[in-house]
Amino acid sequence: MAAHSVPSTLKRLLFAVKYSPLQSRCCAVQREAQYSTISIPSEKTFDKILIANRGEIACRVIKTCKKMGIQTVAVHSDVDSSAVHVKMADEAVCVGSAPTSKSYLNMDAIMDAIRVTGAQAVHPGYGFLSENKEFAKRLAAEGVAFIGPDTHAIQAMGDKIESKLIAKAAKVNTIPGFDGVVKTAEEAVKIAQEIGYPVMIKASAGGGGKGMRIAWNDEETREGFRFSSQEAASSFGDDRLLIEKYIDNPRHIEIQVLADKHGNALWLNERECSIQRRNQKVVEEAPSTFLDPVTRRAMGEQAVQLAKAVQYSSAGTVEFLVDSKKNFYFLEMNTRLQVEHPITECITGLDLVEQMIRVAKGYQLQHTQDDIPINGWAIECRVYAEDPYKSFGLPSIGRLSQYQEPLDLDKVRVDSGIQEGSDISIYYDPMISKLITYGATRAEALGRMEDALDNYVIRGVTHNIPLLREIITHPRFVSGHISTNFLPEVYPDGFKGHQLEADAKRELLASAAVLYITAELRSAKVLGTQRVASTPVECSHWELCVELGEERQDVEISKSGTVYTVEMDGAKVEVWGALNLASPLLPLTINGTQRMLQCLSRDAAGVIVLQYLGTLFKVRVLSKLAAELNSYMPEKVSEDTSSILRSPMPGTVVAVSVKPGDTVKSVHCKPGETVGEGDLLVELE
């Protein structure tokens, strides 16, 4: 809403809300947002902002800009021309082809877009150019505001070696280690021996888990040095490494900071980010179950000390490792808006994007440290187009043939940048959305997250909802007994999906059988035919065979009114609910317990794919006669994979280190080629 169009009555309301406690501000907004954006008529910020990003974070920034009455410009690659963030913005400019180096990292094209559109400021989101000091310098040279910290802070905190030295000088707890650049593998071994194993070898530049290796002995140090330097060079163009003591079994807890250009800085409480795979976060929550008020304040004050040491101005995050005795050590500072910022917004009521825009314009912070509350509990799950059964998540690609966010549930927020029909490609991060739930207590927020995951409809790509649901319902997570090693400790043999106990298995089989009968009755009513042999339409009793994996179960079903009773193994399961075969969601009551199932597919062979307790199960339902005849059918022979190598995930072939004759029969790919999951790469002799 533009400032000049605000009526006097609304002005009085805005004034009242502005100066009310943050605890009450959170309650004054729509249920899915859980934060407030207050456009103050007397505060003029920018007329037009360009968002140098894509996907969910571009959409997130645009939402706040709209609430503040600010025009927006989206940039996009050619393959993103129909993306949601492009449709949301007031203007859009194509900045290149699909590869990020030719579009979202193309500074020349983005600078041209700024000039053409007359944007006065740029919000970089996260990733891409968000922590690129050269980009910030170029903006400053053209008189365009960078909605983030100045170049000094970006440079100081972007280099892990320099940031650690600054942190030490600011009296921030740091991890014991070598403060210089490690130049050779043998030097790395010598330093590691002096520090004491285990050690962490990591890239000086960058983040996101890239260029990081844990070494437990000399040989692993040599190998880790080689791989980390290679990965750092390819990811960041900087192969410098540092070595520090590895804190075994720690928690990853970060502090959100907010600072202005007038020397004021606040800490906005913590976020627990310990659930990770490959050093990348999967589930976050705020606050942490582990911190007490004394430790929280100590971490917050040290985070502010570091921010002030580099004259930081904007929203930023100081990350810490915390051991079992609540000793905490500085890890790094992210000089940008963090992916998981929504959970901080939920418990404080602050709109962090709005605060960044205000600070970039030169306004002072509106609040003091005593104003910042911990109001309730928030949890975020990162929903990815990934196969969780492969290394806890290898990327999946495809088109979203059906997509439905669970926004009809109370206190659920979904930050996404996709819609039904969107493509998940190999070019960009496979994140589908950030799913956030909020509650007065942690138990309430967890319960809402469980419901939200069950009600989230995603078709066309493989996704990680099975893993997310298992994490948030696991007894260790529920009790708060977590660390960065949670996933490998809980799933040492890899993630296998929900493991059905006897009662849950009966629920699943009964639901599949009832769904089958419902489809048969509908078919008979609509088409006048049915596949359950010799059974009249008015029949209310059926005998079926249900198969799950290698197990086969005979079941008997009876129907009374809208209630189905399924008998198997001497046990009875009662099922009733909205059995709408046209809906992707099946809200059922099973033995008195409410469940939300999803039916992904049904075929003429009786195969039904159901999502139950987050995991997909393939159940086959047959009539007694069909089951008997099926035993005579030949079984499909599985492919012999002992002499072939297939791609485990979609991507680009970086290098081929073999050629025909090198104990291989044939090579089916070459460097630079794009391959899909399951594509044949190499045949062995």
Side-chain angles (χ1 to χ4, degrees):
M1 182 179 291
H4 64 267
S5 64
V6 179
S8 58
T9 53
L10 184 54
K11 285 182 180 179
R12 289 194 295 271
L13 173 62
L14 292 176
F15 183 86
V17 173
K18 176 187 177 185
Y19 292 102
S20 66
L22 284 180
Q23 290 94 328
S24 64
R25 289 179 62 188
C26 187
C27 302
V29 295
Q30 56 184 323
R31 65 185 183 184
E32 67 269 20
Q34 296 304 321
Y35 61 92
S36 59
T37 308
I38 306 298
S39 179
I40 310 300
S42 61
E43 279 191 0
K44 179 173 174 56
T45 54
F46 303 102
D47 296 322
K48 186 182 291 185
I49 291 176
L50 181 143
I51 297 93
N53 216 299
R54 66 178 301 278
E56 69 86 10
I57 191 58
C59 295
R60 165 68 189 88
V61 174
I62 291 171
K63 286 177 184 177
T64 288
C65 288
K66 286 182 179 295
K67 292 175 183 177
M68 296 178 71
I70 300 171
Q71 296 286 298
T72 55
V73 179
V75 296
H76 64 91
S77 65
D78 54 3
V79 298
D80 269 348
S81 59
S82 298
V84 175
H85 77 282
V86 173
K87 296 175 181 178
M88 286 181 64
D90 298 296
E91 301 175 60
V93 179
C94 182
V95 289
S97 54
T100 56
S101 61
K102 297 180 179 179
S103 51
Y104 296 104
L105 291 175
N106 186 343
M107 277 192 257
D108 290 338
I110 293 174
M111 294 302 299
D112 286 342
I114 294 168
R115 298 185 192 103
V116 168
T117 60
Q120 301 163 321
V122 172
H123 197 300
Y126 55 73
F128 294 136
L129 298 171
S130 63
E131 295 178 284
N132 189 303
K133 64 180 184 295
E134 295 304 322
F135 182 55
K137 284 180 181 178
R138 290 184 65 171
L139 291 175
E142 301 237 355
V144 177
F146 179 71
I147 302 177
D150 62 23
T151 55
H152 165 71
I154 295 174
Q155 179 172 343
M157 293 294 101
D159 186 302
K160 287 185 173 62
I161 295 173
E162 185 178 352
S163 66
K164 187 174 180 180
L165 293 172
I166 293 172
K168 274 187 175 181
K171 297 187 174 7
V172 176
N173 301 347
T174 57
I175 300 171
F178 180 67
D179 295 332
V181 177
V182 184
K183 298 179 180 178
T184 67
E186 291 310 312
E187 184 184 4
V189 169
K190 181 181 178 183
I191 293 169
Q193 290 173 344
E194 292 172 354
I195 296 172
Y197 288 109
V199 297
M200 172 70 83
I201 305 167
K202 59 184 182 181
S204 175
K210 294 182 173 64
M212 296 175 66
R213 294 291 188 282
I214 300 167
W216 295 80
N217 54 49
D218 292 355
E219 187 55 37
E220 289 184 4
T221 299
R222 293 187 183 93
E223 187 178 81
F225 179 88
R226 180 166 60 89
F227 284 122
S228 290
S229 58
Q230 290 173 353
E231 189 172 15
S234 63
S235 298
F236 315 119
D238 184 345
D239 64 357
R240 292 177 303 145
L241 302 176
L242 68 147
I243 298 181
E244 59 191 21
K245 181 71 176 176
Y246 173 64
I247 309 299
D248 194 16
N249 215 34
R251 286 174 179 260
H252 185 138
I253 300 177
E254 61 191 27
I255 300 292
Q256 176 72 56
V257 295
L258 181 64
D260 62 23
K261 300 178 186 296
H262 304 276
N264 303 305
L266 307 173
W267 49 275
L268 308 182
N269 302 309
E270 80 278 5
R271 295 186 289 255
E272 171 75 70
C273 306
S274 297
I275 306 299
Q276 304 179 2
R277 50 103 175 93
R278 299 189 298 279
N279 295 306
Q280 294 177 324
K281 302 159 190 171
V282 180
V283 178
E284 302 100 348
E285 62 181 307
S288 168
T289 61
F290 190 61
L291 296 191
D292 55 68
V294 174
T295 309
R296 176 178 295 115
R297 176 170 290 278
M299 293 176 69
E301 289 176 348
Q302 288 199 16
V304 166
Q305 287 168 206
L306 180 60
K308 289 185 174 181
V310 292
Q311 294 87 50
Y312 195 85
S313 60
S314 193
T317 299
V318 181
E319 301 191 352
F320 294 94
L321 290 181
V322 185
D323 67 19
S324 59
K325 296 180 180 179
K326 298 184 181 177
N327 297 308
F328 57 91
Y329 306 94
F330 170 72
L331 185 62
E332 64 182 359
M333 183 176 189
N334 293 312
T335 56
R336 54 171 166 77
L337 188 65
Q338 201 83 326
V339 176
E340 58 273 17
H341 76 273
I343 54 177
T344 295
E345 294 180 325
C346 286
I347 66 167
T348 63
L350 284 172
D351 180 337
L352 293 183
V353 174
E354 177 197 21
Q355 297 303 316
M356 294 177 75
I357 293 171
R358 290 187 70 259
V359 168
K361 187 60 178 177
Y363 290 110
Q364 293 189 39
L365 298 182
Q366 297 168 302
H367 308 289
T368 65
Q369 192 62 57
D370 291 340
D371 295 331
I372 307 302
I374 296 181
N375 187 25
W377 213 285
I379 297 170
E380 174 180 287
C381 284
R382 300 193 187 189
V383 181
Y384 281 102
E386 290 182 339
D387 186 344
Y389 300 95
K390 296 179 178 179
S391 300
F392 299 114
L394 292 184
S396 169
I397 59 173
R399 176 165 294 174
L400 291 167
S401 57
Q402 194 170 14
Y403 184 74
Q404 183 176 310
E405 296 174 348
L407 290 174
D408 57 330
L409 301 181
D410 189 33
K411 295 181 180 176
V412 171
R413 169 179 166 180
V414 183
D415 282 17
S416 66
I418 47 88
Q419 61 187 359
E420 194 164 287
S422 292
D423 287 314
I424 307 295
S425 73
I426 65 169
Y427 296 109
Y428 311 116
D429 186 89
M431 179 184 284
I432 294 173
S433 73
K434 299 178 313 198
L435 178 63
I436 305 104
T437 57
Y438 174 80
T441 64
R442 186 172 187 261
E444 194 176 297
L446 280 173
R448 288 198 171 109
M449 181 60 75
E450 190 174 335
D451 290 341
L453 290 168
D454 286 343
N455 280 269
Y456 206 148
V457 178
I458 303 171
R459 307 280 192 273
V461 296
T462 304
H463 55 76
N464 68 333
I465 282 180
L467 175 62
L468 296 173
R469 197 185 188 284
E470 286 298 293
I471 291 171
I472 62 119
T473 58
H474 194 279
R476 268 189 61 178
F477 184 86
V478 173
S479 68
H481 181 53
I482 60 175
S483 74
T484 55
N485 293 324
F486 178 88
L487 289 179
E489 287 177 357
V490 172
Y491 309 106
D493 299 320
F495 179 66
K496 307 295 183 184
H498 185 78
Q499 301 303 297
L500 293 171
E501 296 181 351
D503 288 347
K505 185 179 293 184
R506 280 193 289 269
E507 282 190 11
L508 172 64
L509 299 183
S511 300
V514 168
L515 188 62
Y516 176 86
I517 291 298
T518 302
E520 287 295 305
L521 293 176
R522 178 177 179 274
S523 175
K525 183 177 181 180
V526 175
L527 303 176
T529 60
Q530 55 184 19
R531 290 190 295 274
V532 179
S534 305
T535 306
V537 174
E538 63 271 15
C539 178
S540 60
H541 184 270
W542 302 267
E543 293 184 355
L544 301 173
C545 178
V546 185
E547 299 175 357
L548 178 64
E550 301 297 321
E551 298 182 32
R552 177 177 293 184
Q553 182 74 53
D554 292 329
V555 304
E556 293 186 18
I557 305 178
S558 58
K559 185 183 183 209
S560 176
T562 59
V563 179
Y564 290 87
T565 301
V566 183
E567 296 186 47
M568 65 183 86
D569 275 345
K572 291 185 178 181
V573 181
E574 289 190 339
V575 180
W576 71 92
L579 287 161
N580 181 358
L581 300 178
S583 172
L585 297 173
L586 298 172
L588 301 179
T589 300
I590 307 174
N591 280 348
T593 301
Q594 292 183 341
R595 301 284 192 199
M596 181 62 75
L597 280 71
Q598 296 187 29
C599 180
L600 278 73
S601 65
R602 295 178 293 113
D603 66 21
V607 176
I608 301 174
V609 178
L610 288 175
Q611 181 174 305
Y612 170 70
L613 301 178
T615 294
L616 298 186
F617 294 96
K618 184 181 291 186
V619 184
R620 192 176 191 190
V621 185
L622 301 169
S623 67
K624 278 290 188 68
L625 177 60
E628 292 173 6
L629 295 175
N630 188 62
S631 63
Y632 296 101
M633 297 293 290
E635 293 185 6
K636 182 180 178 180
V637 179
S638 300
E639 179 186 31
D640 179 10
T641 59
S642 61
S643 60
I644 61 173
L645 176 65
R646 294 189 179 276
S647 175
M649 58 184 280
T652 302
V653 178
V654 176
V656 178
S657 301
V658 294
K659 60 183 184 297
D662 292 347
T663 68
V664 300
K665 182 179 180 181
S666 58
V667 180
H668 295 264
C669 61
K670 56 186 178 183
E673 278 189 344
T674 299
V675 296
E677 180 181 351
D679 284 0
L680 183 61
L681 302 178
V682 174
E683 287 185 84
L684 305 176
E685 291 183 343

